[in-house]
Structure formats: structure tokens, C-alpha cells
Amino acid sequence: MGQALSEHETVAGVLVMLVRQRPPAPGGGGKTSRTGLQASVPVSERPAVRRGLDALLEHGVLAMSGENIGITPKGKIFLAHVQRARGETPTSYEQDDSNPALLAAISAAIDADERLAPQGSIDDVRTLPARLEGYRASRSPRFSKALVVIGSLAAAAAAFALLR
């Protein structure tokens, strides 16, 4: 297990993981829709997520291209650091942090940026990805398929009765 993450690094790590785990935007070349990501977060947490993403863009951990947001090579180094601190083995997607000076500079910039300070409980920050996943799983479509089929049959029966 690596060294413990600071609160600012924890917030930044959660945001980078959200970008990485989010399905890519259509035609985004592996990048994620920033507005889609922000819209998936509970309304009360959106300002903190927006500020955190802005900070990570400014520090070069993330990059934007139009509406899409993606992880930079610096971001991959930071993500590998976060995964090691969580006791995980970085996947081949992440870069090896063979440049400790670069990782130290990234960590120092993140720790110095107040936009990456947790707005509530650090446990709320850590559980954000799981809460979002639970929200997506429990969210049901507006109309069930059965309701659409029944409505279509009723409309067809009404049209048949009117045409007779």
C-alpha cells in the first residue's frame, strides 16, 4: 500500500476516476462529456465538482477539447498514484510514476488548490462514484415497455373504432 492521500488528493482522485469510469462521449475519442458528467452528480455537489474539474484542467491533470474532457499523461501518473494509495494495482492504462519529481509537483499543486478541498465529509467524497452508480442502477425509465405496448394497442383500437 502506498502513502496515504491528503484530502485534496482524495477529491482530485475521485474526480479523475469519475472521468475515467464514465462512458466516452460519442465521437469523443475516449473522452467524456463534461456537462454529462456534471449533470450525473447530485445538484448539491455540482458546484464542487465543477470547481474541482476546473482546478484539474488548470493543473494539467485533465484536458478539454470542446465539450469533452479527458485524462492527460500527467493525469495518468496521478491516477496510478491514487490507485497505489488505495491498495490497487494500476492498470496498463495508467503510466508508471517513474518521475517522482513530476508526481510531487502534481501533488503539491493539488494540495495547494482550495478548489479541491472537500466541501463536506471526506467519506461523502469517497463514496460519490458508488452513489452515482447506485443512482443510475435504481433509476427507471419514464415509461416501461409494457406501458408503451399497451398504449399503442389502445391507440390502434381507438383508431379502428373511429374508422368503422
Side-chain angles (χ1 to χ4, degrees), residues 145-162:
K145 289 181 182 178
L147 185 60
V148 171
V149 170
I150 292 170
S152 299
L153 290 174
F160 181 72
L162 289 175

Side-chain angles (χ1 to χ4, degrees), residues 113-164:
D113 197 323
E114 285 306 310
R115 295 175 290 182
L116 292 167
Q119 299 302 309
S121 161
I122 195 68
D123 289 330
D124 287 344
V125 172
R126 285 186 185 117
T127 61
L128 180 60
R131 287 186 290 128
L132 293 181
E133 201 54 44
Y135 174 71
R136 280 191 282 261
S138 69
R139 220 171 119 186
S140 62
R142 280 192 169 172
F143 300 105
S144 69
K145 289 181 182 178
L147 185 60
V148 171
V149 170
I150 292 170
S152 299
L153 290 174
F160 181 72
L162 289 175
L163 293 175
R164 268 182 75 188

Side-chain angles (χ1 to χ4, degrees), residues 48-73:
V49 168
R50 187 177 316 111
R51 283 189 303 271
L53 291 175
D54 287 341
L56 293 173
L57 286 165
E58 188 176 302
H59 298 305
V61 174
L62 300 175
M64 279 203 59
S65 175
E67 153 71 16
N68 297 325
I69 192 166
I71 302 172
T72 65

Side-chain angles (χ1 to χ4, degrees), residues 30-102:
K31 294 185 180 180
T32 300
S33 165
R34 179 178 177 168
T35 56
L37 174 64
Q38 289 175 184
S40 71
V41 175
V43 175
S44 61
E45 297 178 67
R46 285 182 191 165
V49 168
R50 187 177 316 111
R51 283 189 303 271
L53 291 175
D54 287 341
L56 293 173
L57 286 165
E58 188 176 302
H59 298 305
V61 174
L62 300 175
M64 279 203 59
S65 175
E67 153 71 16
N68 297 325
I69 192 166
I71 302 172
T72 65
K74 281 172 71 172
K76 291 177 183 180
I77 291 171
F78 178 70
L79 186 54
H81 167 67
V82 169
Q83 288 175 320
R84 282 190 189 95
R86 292 172 52 184
E88 301 170 4
T89 302
T91 62
S92 60
Y93 174 79
E94 285 77 32
Q95 301 282 333
D96 181 33
D97 59 352
S98 58
N99 187 344
L102 180 58

